[in-house]
Amino acid sequence: MSAMHLALVSIGVAVVTAAALAGVAGVTTGWTLPFRRERILRPKLWGAGLLLIAFGTAFFLFLGPLGGTPTRHPYLPFLGIAVNFGGLALQLLAQRPGRADLRSTKSAS
């Protein structure tokens, strides 16, 4: 493994780990990044989306460009891109208000 490849893999691991940690924090505690707090209405859903994005990025990077040896299944890294789009969809949904809970409303009778 060359020094450049090792540097790129290290950067990839750091980015994926940071995204996964932020996703876990969002899912467990509702914490979001400070510059995104005013737009995110459902932080746990946002954290789940970020976890999917971290997983998809890792899947793409380490089975694709930074994988080292070619695989017999060249389409596998593209599944990581599909998972990224799934995480992005969850994050977009986290910026929209959820459904109103109709069970807790009292009737006027």
Side-chain angles (χ1 to χ4, degrees):
M1 193 178 331
S2 70
M4 179 60 78
H5 187 264
L6 182 62
L8 291 173
V9 168
S10 300
I11 291 170
V13 167
V15 167
V16 167
T17 302
L21 288 175
V24 167
V27 168
T28 58
T29 65
W31 181 85
T32 62
L33 296 170
F35 56 88
R36 299 290 299 163
R37 285 189 184 139
E38 67 273 355
R39 296 212 34 144
I40 297 170
L41 301 176
R42 296 186 277 176
K44 293 187 185 234
L45 185 61
W46 178 84
L50 192 55
L51 275 174
L52 270 179
I53 288 173
F55 177 74
T57 301
F59 203 74
F60 172 74
L61 280 179
F62 302 121
L63 290 178
L66 301 178
T69 58
T71 178
R72 292 186 321 189
H73 306 288
Y75 58 86
L76 280 178
F78 296 108
L79 290 176
I81 294 174
V83 171
N84 273 335
F85 282 125
L88 179 63
L90 284 181
Q91 285 192 326
L92 289 174
L93 287 174
Q95 295 179 17
R96 299 177 57 104
R99 294 184 190 178
D101 189 12
L102 298 177
R103 292 174 291 164
S104 65
T105 61
K106 303 210 185 262
S107 63
S109 54

